[in-house]
Amino acid sequence: MAPEKITFTAELLLAQKTATGIEVPPQVVNQLGTSKRPPVNLPLMATLTAVK
């Protein structure tokens, strides 16, 4: 049986020069279960904006 598909929209967060993160909403974290590292497939639909 395939795992349930969970989708949500998020922004990439730049913490320093090279540290990037994605904030996952608490309800999504709960849906992922108790595994410390659940399997995740992350397709990105990027829109790039130049920052000066």
Side-chain angles (χ1 to χ4, degrees):
M1 185 168 139
E4 176 186 350
K5 184 176 182 178
I6 302 169
T7 61
F8 67 96
T9 303
E11 292 184 22
L12 292 177
L13 306 172
L14 181 63
Q16 295 174 1
K17 284 187 175 184
T18 60
T20 304
I22 300 171
E23 185 172 357
V24 180
Q27 65 271 24
V28 173
V29 173
N30 288 337
Q31 286 180 300
L32 290 173
T34 59
S35 173
K36 187 148 184 123
R37 294 183 147 222
V40 174
N41 182 1
L42 182 66
L44 296 177
M45 298 171 61
T47 301
L48 301 177
T49 304
V51 178
K52 295 182 181 183

